[in-house]
């Protein structure tokens, strides 16, 4: 939607937020505790027929009256019609009040004009004196330069009607500084637990990391935050994370979704899990609380984490019925730990921040075993204040966390890491099959590799899976293929070739065609032997 005329406070508009249809609203003053997002010109809109409100970018707004007929034809829902009726009722009340006060208003205006003329006559001064006095900001006198009182000169952000030129940094609602200043500024606190010593380090690129300084102290006693924690998604990674949060004394509310088959046409669709508590029962026994919907979890918790499968699931979780967005209020923190593309995470950040929420992306590197052991690596980007607030949570779930700056950076870095990992796994499988078909012992190959500079826990575990024919999922094959696909798209977006990843991706696609999607990524081996 593009604005065709200039807009101002008090105007009735059609506002579009995320994937929701355009909705009637009014541009109003924002509450004092709901600051305007930086970088993009937007207005605070209160929507009719709901209790919803949000900062909406100017290009997502249209004047109400000029587009009323068009919008009503496009939307036929009951709630939408109720919202339009509320607008019309509002307009009737305004018109009645205007007619009632029209005479009084006209009289007041006439009176003011008369007083203005009298005041002008009393204060009129000789021309020479007026000339000598004309040295203020509005004069042409060069004798005295007025002091620059602009907000930027005083170190304060610009007023709401000025556009900030800091690019996409407006997504990072709540940052104390912008752009590279925010990335390079060292945190004012050093994270430290009772018996888990940590160090805060900075690399040349400006990232900040929280690391365990003593590996023997990992998952020792941690001082848990007093904030209420929510967690959405109890898959391979999420289950281990929640378990460790509870073990370390955090107050956690959990929710999980389930997949069901629709009765119409056999279409597979995902629905909100309000009654099937099978995955939640274990954690409830360990002290967790049960949330009925994502919206309920977010509204009752201070910080809500989410860890789901892919971009579609991440969007549905936020924008779907009873989704995260419905529970966001000013100050609520949302941390998305899913591995998705930068575009998806930017969209989610926009809608969360537009409601006054605070957003952090924090995808995790690791597998089910590392999740269970609290040894994940967290890559974070977005609101640095939220990153600090998550300190005890990150300590509970991982051995290291990095803060990488603006929203999208963590998604990019995670896709690159998983691209390397997925390509390496495909190469391992290729080497194991080549050894077999050339009459070499696969076990001997592994023994040699373990003694070489290529030795790693990952290499040993995945080769053991192949030798034993045990492909119980530790990292789903379908998810590593998804990450390879997204990494290739990331390369395409900047015109950078990724031929090795592209070749590996084709092998994983063949493995999926052989019904290996729900097995471990090491099952890519079967693509070479069939």
């Amino acid at each position: 939607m593009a604005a065709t005329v200039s807009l101002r406070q008090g105007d009735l508009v059609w506002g579009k937020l995320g994937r929701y249809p355009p909705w009637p609203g009014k541009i109003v003053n924002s509450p004092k505790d709901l600051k305007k997002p930086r970088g993009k010109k937007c207005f605070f809109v209160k929507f009719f027929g709901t209790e919803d409100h949000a900062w909406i970018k100017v290009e997502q707004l249209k004047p109400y009256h000029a587009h009323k007929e068009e919008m009503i034809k496009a939307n036929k829902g009951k709630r939408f019609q109720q919202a339009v009726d509320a607008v019309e009722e509002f307009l009737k009340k305004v018109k009645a009040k205007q007619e009632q006060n029209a005479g009084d208003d006209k009289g007041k205006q006439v009176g003011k004009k008369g007083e203005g003329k009298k005041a002008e006559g009393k204060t009129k001064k000789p021309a020479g004196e007026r000339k000598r006095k004309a040295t203020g900001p509005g004069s042409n006198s060069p004798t005295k330069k007025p002091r620059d009182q602009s907000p930027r000169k005083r170190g304060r952000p610009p007023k709401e009607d000025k556009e900030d030129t800091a690019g996409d940094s407006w997504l990072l609602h709540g940052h104390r500084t912008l752009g590279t200043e925010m990335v390079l500024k060292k945190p004012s606190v050093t994270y430290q637990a009772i018996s888990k010593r940590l160090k805060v380090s900075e690399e040349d690129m400006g990232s900040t990391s929280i690391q365990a300084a003593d590996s023997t102290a990992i998952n020792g006693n941690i001082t848990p935050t007093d904030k209420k924690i929510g967690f959405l998604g109890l898959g391979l990674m999420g289950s281990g994370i929640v378990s460790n949060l509870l073990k370390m004394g955090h107050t956690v509310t959990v929710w999980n979704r389930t997949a069901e088959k629709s009765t119409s046409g056999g279409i597979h669709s995902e629905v909100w899990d309000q009654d099937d508590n099978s995955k939640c029962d274990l954690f409830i026994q360990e002290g967790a609380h049960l949330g009925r919907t994502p919206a309920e979890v977010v509204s009752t918790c201070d910080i809500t984490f989410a860890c789901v499968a892919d971009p579609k699931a991440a969007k549905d979780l936020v924008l779907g019925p009873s989704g995260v967005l419905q529970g966001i209020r000013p100050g609520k923190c949302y941390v998305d730990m899913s591995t998705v593309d930068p575009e998806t995470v930017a969209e989610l950040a926009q809608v969360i921040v537009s409601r006054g929420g605070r957003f952090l992306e924090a995808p995790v590197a690791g597998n089910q075993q590392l999740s269970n052991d609290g040894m994940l690596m967290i890559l974070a980007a977005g609101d640095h204040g939220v990153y600090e607030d998550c300190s005890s949570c990150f300590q509970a779930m991982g051995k290291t966390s990095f803060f990488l700056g603006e929203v999208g950076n963590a998604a990019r870095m995670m896709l690159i890491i998983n691209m390397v990992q997925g390509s390496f796994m495909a190469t391992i499988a290729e080497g194991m099959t080549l050894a077999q078909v050339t009459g070499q012992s696969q076990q001997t190959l592994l023994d040699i590799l373990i003694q070489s500079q290529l030795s790693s826990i990952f290499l040993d575990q995945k080769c053991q899976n192949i030798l034993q024919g045990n492909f119980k999922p530790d990292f789903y094959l379908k998810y590593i293929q998804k990450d390879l696909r997204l990494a290739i798209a990331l390369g395409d977006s900047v015109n950078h070739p990724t031929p090795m990843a592209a070749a590996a991706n084709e092998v994983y696609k063949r493995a999926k065609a052989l019904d290996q999607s729900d097995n471990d990524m090491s099952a890519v081996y079967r693509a070479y032997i069939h």
Side-chain angles (χ1 to χ4, degrees), residues 396-450:
M397 66 180 74
K399 62 177 180 179
T400 309
S401 68
F402 291 86
F403 183 76
L404 304 178
E406 294 186 350
V407 163
N409 285 346
R412 296 181 185 95
M413 187 67 79
M414 184 57 66
L415 290 178
I416 294 169
I417 290 170
N418 283 356
M419 178 189 75
V420 173
Q421 180 177 237
S423 299
F424 184 37
M425 181 64 250
T427 301
I428 292 172
E430 190 171 288
M432 293 289 278
T433 52
L434 184 59
Q436 183 182 39
V437 299
T438 58
Q440 306 304 305
S441 166
Q442 291 180 330
Q443 180 62 59
T444 301
L445 171 61
L446 174 57
D447 293 341
I448 294 171
L449 287 173
I450 291 301

Side-chain angles (χ1 to χ4, degrees), residues 485-504:
R485 172 174 56 81
L486 295 178
I488 293 168
L490 177 63
D492 289 344
S493 70
V494 292
N495 198 30
H496 182 76
T498 52
M500 305 302 292

Side-chain angles (χ1 to χ4, degrees), residues 161-175:
D161 60 347
K162 300 284 184 70
E163 289 194 34
D164 193 288
T165 57
D168 289 336
S169 60
W170 72 281
L171 295 174
L172 311 184
H173 181 67
H175 279 172

Side-chain angles (χ1 to χ4, degrees), residues 20 37 64 66 70 216 239 286 299 313 335 363 367 378 394 438 526:
Y20 290 104
Y64 176 81
E70 166 195 346
T216 62
S239 293
E286 294 179 6
S299 64
V335 183
N367 53 35
I378 300 105
F394 288 158
T438 58
R526 289 178 170 168

Side-chain angles (χ1 to χ4, degrees), residues 461-489:
Q461 289 178 340
K462 299 310 178 185
C463 284
Q464 291 292 348
N465 287 353
I466 292 172
L467 289 171
Q468 298 168 14
N470 178 12
F471 300 109
K472 180 181 178 181
D474 196 41
F475 191 120
Y476 283 117
L477 185 145
K478 61 186 177 184
Y479 292 161
I480 197 67
Q481 189 274 322
K482 175 262 297 182
D483 293 344
L484 279 166
R485 172 174 56 81
L486 295 178
I488 293 168

Side-chain angles (χ1 to χ4, degrees), residues 303-342:
I303 304 173
T304 300
F305 294 86
C307 189
V308 293
D310 52 34
K312 181 182 182 303
K315 289 182 181 179
D316 289 345
L317 187 62
V318 173
L319 303 173
S322 300
V324 167
L325 196 61
Q326 298 300 311
I328 288 291
R329 299 291 182 270
K332 295 290 185 181
C333 301
Y334 185 65
V335 183
D336 193 339
M337 308 191 81
S338 314
T339 300
V340 298
D341 55 282

